[in-house]
Amino acid sequence: MSRKRPTQADVARLAGVSQATVSYVLNNSAAISVPDETRRRILEAVETLGYEPDRVAQTLRTRKTYTLACIIPDIANPFYPAFARGVQDVAERSGYDLILYNTDGLADREQKCLRSVRQGRADGVIAVLFHTSARELFTLLDMGIAIVRLESTPKDAGPRPLDNLFLDNTAAAEAAVSYLLDAGHTRIGMIAGTLDTPPRELRIRGYRQALARRRLLPDVQLIRSGDFREEGGEQAMRELLRLPRRPTAVFAANDLMAIGALVAARDAGVRVPEDVAVVGFDDIPAARVVTPPLTTIAQHPDRMGQRAAEMVFERLDGRAPAHGRVEAAPFELVIRQSA
């Protein structure tokens, strides 16, 4: 015979409290204040009994899915798994599951993911969207779905409850290139990312701004396209190293391309940083273990994911203002041996 599934009533009896109190604790409700000792007894009873909430019953009763959707452009880029892990950590503490969607940065896949959410699969969305406008998200907002966009610029939040968490890509790229200029480099190459994507364009803008502040004109031959992947960075670095006047330093628009640049330099017998300095962007885990360790811009994707999820729950719990919010995520230049 199968063992009977424990219920909230069983938890309440074992903990010596009312079933309502159990519900408040398990749903992280702020409606009443539950003493720490009572909360501890309830959680111990949950563990002892092996109690698990009936999500189907919860959904029917509350009209909530207890699920968040996280939409990212490239699961192979180490930045995004770290970001999603931050989202998951906060979601699990709130009793929510996480659905992860990968779009490959394509417009049709972004729309497909959003259609899935509209079909009632999530209460909140955290998204990196390259091709979807704010207006296209209004339908989800009207359905009561909380949305936080990870943006490349401080988008105007407007009167609707559309929240934005952004990293100032232009300022971060300018900081990276300024560091190379301060080190005495004047011929600095750039390995940019995929065409027509905000991270590429904004990081190129930061590169050009840093040069302009030193009254240096950018040389178009020194800007090469990559695809935000290691192979693209390797190919772009080969092109830069073949120039008659090759750069003495290279800024790559992400760490994967910077690592590809290190590979190309090694294969060409070019020493880093003695012959050419290399700076990346993201501070992925591999940046610390490549040879030489990579100087880069740290974005702290796990913290960004945590804050994005917190913003979603603030919206779902009614703790956010009626209008949209715009918050800046911090960045810092991490100096290692590559530059």
Side-chain angles (χ1 to χ4, degrees), residues 32-336:
I32 65 169
S33 177
V34 179
D36 290 342
E37 172 59 23
T38 302
R39 185 181 298 273
R40 182 188 63 77
R41 293 205 315 273
I42 290 170
L43 295 178
E44 286 181 352
V46 166
E47 185 173 354
T48 299
L49 295 172
Y51 170 77
E52 293 183 1
D54 185 337
R55 283 296 173 82
V56 174
Q58 283 183 320
T59 298
L60 292 173
R61 183 174 66 255
T62 65
R63 297 185 180 276
K64 292 182 179 180
T65 66
Y66 294 93
T67 300
L68 296 187
C70 184
I71 303 173
I72 60 174
D74 185 4
I75 191 65
N77 184 329
F79 173 88
Y80 291 110
F83 176 77
R85 176 57 186 268
V87 173
Q88 183 180 12
D89 288 345
V90 175
E92 288 183 346
R93 289 201 298 268
S94 299
Y96 269 63
D97 294 325
L98 182 68
I99 299 176
L100 189 63
Y101 294 92
N102 180 69
T103 67
D104 287 329
L106 301 175
D108 60 337
R109 290 196 179 181
E110 289 184 3
Q111 292 301 313
K112 182 178 180 180
C113 295
L114 294 172
R115 281 197 300 272
S116 177
V117 174
R118 280 197 298 272
Q119 291 166 0
R121 306 219 175 146
D123 299 328
V125 178
I126 297 165
V128 182
L129 302 169
F130 292 158
H131 308 284
T132 303
S133 68
R135 183 170 295 277
E136 293 175 273
L137 301 174
F138 289 171
T139 301
L140 296 177
L141 295 175
D142 292 340
M143 295 171 63
I145 296 172
I147 303 175
V148 173
R149 295 185 299 175
L150 182 62
E151 286 287 337
S152 303
T153 56
K155 296 284 181 65
D156 180 21
R160 288 181 177 261
L162 178 59
D163 294 323
N164 301 279
L165 181 64
F166 78 96
L167 179 93
D168 193 334
N169 280 263
T170 300
E174 185 175 347
V177 178
S178 294
Y179 170 75
L180 292 171
L181 290 164
D182 289 342
H185 298 282
T186 57
R187 189 162 176 79
I188 301 173
M190 179 172 180
I191 302 175
T194 306
L195 287 168
D196 299 323
T197 60
R200 169 194 166 94
E201 304 308 325
L202 293 167
R203 293 171 194 179
I204 288 178
R205 182 187 300 173
Y207 164 82
R208 287 175 170 157
Q209 285 183 184
L211 295 177
R213 290 187 192 281
R214 306 298 176 94
R215 302 183 185 278
L216 295 172
L217 293 176
D219 183 341
V220 294
Q221 286 191 321
L222 292 179
I223 300 177
R224 299 286 162 155
S225 292
D227 54 5
F228 288 122
R229 292 181 169 86
E230 186 176 329
E231 295 80 8
E234 188 174 346
Q235 177 58 36
M237 187 64 160
R238 289 197 193 101
E239 294 171 8
L240 289 170
L241 294 177
R242 284 197 293 263
L243 290 174
R245 289 186 59 225
R246 68 189 188 195
T248 62
V250 172
F251 167 56
N254 80 344
D255 284 348
L256 288 179
M257 294 191 299
I259 291 170
L262 294 178
V263 172
R266 180 198 64 203
D267 291 348
V270 174
R271 299 171 302 165
V272 177
E274 293 85 356
D275 300 323
V276 60
V278 176
V279 174
F281 198 113
D282 284 339
D283 197 26
I284 63 175
R288 294 185 290 275
V289 298
V290 293
T291 303
L294 188 64
T295 295
T296 185
I297 293 289
Q299 299 189 71
H300 307 295
D302 54 338
R303 296 185 209 168
M304 293 174 71
Q306 290 168 9
R307 181 56 193 148
E310 289 168 357
M311 292 174 75
V312 165
F313 286 113
E314 289 166 4
R315 183 68 63 190
L316 291 174
D317 296 342
R319 292 177 285 132
H323 57 80
R325 295 172 291 174
V326 178
E327 288 193 14
F331 68 85
E332 62 180 310
L333 178 67
V334 179
I335 299 173
R336 300 194 180 99

